[in-house]
Amino acid sequence: MTTPVTIIGAGLGGLVLARVLHVHGIPVTVYEAEPSPAARRQGGMLDIHPWNGQPALEAAGLTEGFRELVLEGRESYRVLDRKGTVLLDRPDDGTGERPEVQRGELRQLLLDSLPNGIVRWGCKVTGVQTLDEGRYKVGLADGTTVVTSLLVGADGAWSRVRPLLSGATPEYVGVSVIETFLFDGDTRHPAAAEAVGAGSLFALTPGKGILAHRESGGTLHSYAQLVKPQDWLAGIDLTDAATVTARVVEEFDGWAPELTALITDSDTPPVLRRLFTLPTGHRWNRTPGVTLLGDAAHLMPPNGEGANLAMQDGAALGQAIAARPDDVEAALAEYEQAMFTRAAGVAADDDIYTIMFGDDAPHSMVAMLTGAEQGS
């Protein structure tokens, strides 16, 4: 196959696609808005599933490298109430079925597997236009353009490629998140570190919760999640860390101090993230020469599946193109139909936010986790 593939977005899904195409000798270029791989923190911990994420990395030929990134002992979790009482403490069982890695390290593994020049940094897409003969013109913020006949939108929630295929736009799901980090937790923040435990923490009550993960080096990566209208904090200067922190911690008045410390003692400024979703079952009619993967195709609130699905999309699309290099339209059609089905299935099964923040929280979370144990 000599037709080059143009990918917009160097997230995990786009990079898995690029790697699989490269392995099969198919020319590919990835355009990424960020100026460099180190431009920002790349999320937190990911549990890589044996039914989608791990096979995707195997298709990319990166299983060995992935295994070297696994943080042992992180497949544990605990559920606490607002007073810090431990309601469930499940240690890592040592099976390694869903190993935990850090998103940034996994992304770097993928980047290191690609030759220099495949990913082009600082290329922010401002829009995409349809040309004649199945070609597309991608406009970049620096005024340059790229013309391609095979375009993949791997550019996330606010995809610039999606409007070529669908009029769907993300909708707010009713949950806002404040992200914080405590570094060297065991030494500098021992009470909070003890509360988090060895892996993941869910401290919940109806309408709100504090979730946290233990990353490498004792880093405690936390998310204060609240059921709030979209304009919550709209009147606050979000660059004023002290004001944002004070406003958020007000919502957790009466909570155990070792839990609220995950907000108040942050070593980084708090970051507000509002959660959005695309309609369940989002799909589009086959349009020649263009498709989507990951959040651009099936954005959903964080539920442990997004990154795995994106990598599965990337691997499946790359394999489909490699298997039918002389009939790319058939490859895209095959990929899309399978992707629509699996994404809809995951979305239909997901009720995690009702479980975490519903009227019976945190006991509903304990019931879900212990039920999963008994059913495994």
Side-chain angles (χ1 to χ4, degrees):
M1 179 173 167
T2 58
T3 302
V5 180
T6 300
I7 301 171
I8 309 301
L12 297 181
L15 292 175
V16 167
L17 171 58
R19 168 64 180 177
V20 172
L21 293 173
H22 173 66
V23 166
H24 288 279
I26 297 171
V28 57
T29 304
V30 182
Y31 293 87
E32 169 55 46
E34 293 178 355
S36 75
R40 64 176 178 87
R41 287 186 172 276
Q42 296 297 317
M45 299 291 290
L46 298 173
D47 58 323
I48 307 302
H49 302 165
W51 56 88
N52 47 21
Q54 291 181 42
L57 292 168
E58 182 177 358
L62 296 175
T63 296
E64 182 176 347
F66 153 67
R67 290 292 175 187
E68 293 175 356
L69 301 180
V70 171
L71 294 178
E72 300 295 339
R74 297 309 197 277
E75 292 181 73
S76 64
Y77 53 73
R78 50 174 40 189
V79 180
L80 278 62
D81 66 13
R82 62 197 294 272
K83 298 296 186 181
T85 303
V86 178
L87 304 179
L88 176 67
D89 192 356
R90 177 184 179 273
D92 189 324
D93 63 8
T95 62
E97 180 183 357
R98 293 166 56 158
E100 297 270 355
V101 300
Q102 295 187 184
R103 180 189 289 263
E105 294 184 353
L106 184 59
R107 187 195 195 206
Q108 192 60 53
L109 173 69
L110 287 159
L111 288 169
D112 290 343
S113 74
L114 297 170
N116 290 335
I118 282 186
V119 179
R120 302 189 181 179
W121 301 96
C123 295
K124 183 178 181 179
V125 175
T126 56
V128 184
Q129 294 178 309
T130 302
L131 303 177
D132 57 2
E133 299 177 355
R135 298 180 304 149
Y136 300 93
K137 183 169 73 173
V138 180
L140 303 179
D142 64 2
T144 61
T145 60
V146 176
V147 175
T148 181
S149 59
L150 187 45
L151 177 65
V152 180
D155 49 344
W158 307 102
S159 171
R160 296 287 188 172
V161 180
R162 189 192 300 124
L164 294 174
L165 301 171
S166 165
T169 56
E171 297 181 355
Y172 180 60
V173 302
V175 176
S176 290
V177 181
I178 300 293
E179 183 181 22
T180 57
F181 289 87
L182 276 64
F183 301 133
D184 194 14
D186 294 310
T187 301
R188 299 177 59 238
H189 311 281
E194 174 64 25
V196 172
S200 299
L201 161 74
F202 301 87
L204 308 171
T205 196
K208 66 189 70 174
I210 299 175
L211 283 63
H213 304 282
R214 178 181 289 270
E215 298 184 353
S216 63
T219 294
L220 308 176
H221 187 177
S222 304
Y223 308 86
Q225 304 198 5
L226 300 105
V227 177
K228 290 290 184 181
Q230 189 173 346
D231 61 358
W232 181 62
L233 299 184
I236 293 179
D237 178 2
L238 295 178
T239 65
D240 183 344
T243 299
V244 173
T245 299
R247 179 65 187 86
V248 173
V249 81
E250 283 179 6
E251 301 286 342
F252 294 90
D253 184 44
W255 283 53
E258 63 269 26
L259 297 176
T260 56
L262 293 166
I263 303 169
T264 59
D265 293 358
S266 179
D267 293 310
T268 61
V271 176
L272 172 65
R273 304 189 188 282
R274 298 181 176 95
L275 303 186
F276 289 81
T277 186
L278 284 169
T280 299
H282 175 238
R283 60 177 60 214
W284 54 87
N285 294 326
R286 173 89 291 279
T287 300
V290 60
T291 193
L292 306 172
L293 63 77
D295 284 350
H298 43 69
L299 175 69
M300 58 189 73
N303 60 2
E305 292 290 350
N308 284 280
L309 274 178
M311 291 191 292
Q312 185 178 23
D313 288 350
L317 178 54
Q319 290 172 320
I321 292 172
R324 299 192 180 189
D326 55 348
D327 192 353
V328 172
E329 280 308 301
L332 297 184
E334 173 188 295
Y335 155 75
E336 287 180 347
Q337 291 307 308
M339 180 266 291
F340 293 151
T341 299
R342 64 174 171 262
V346 168
D349 290 341
D350 179 39
D351 198 26
I352 187 63
Y353 285 83
T354 299
I355 293 170
M356 287 197 298
F357 306 130
D359 292 342
D360 196 34
H363 304 288
S364 49
M365 190 69 179
V366 172
M368 186 198 78
L369 294 174
T370 54
E373 285 179 338
Q374 293 167 2
S376 61

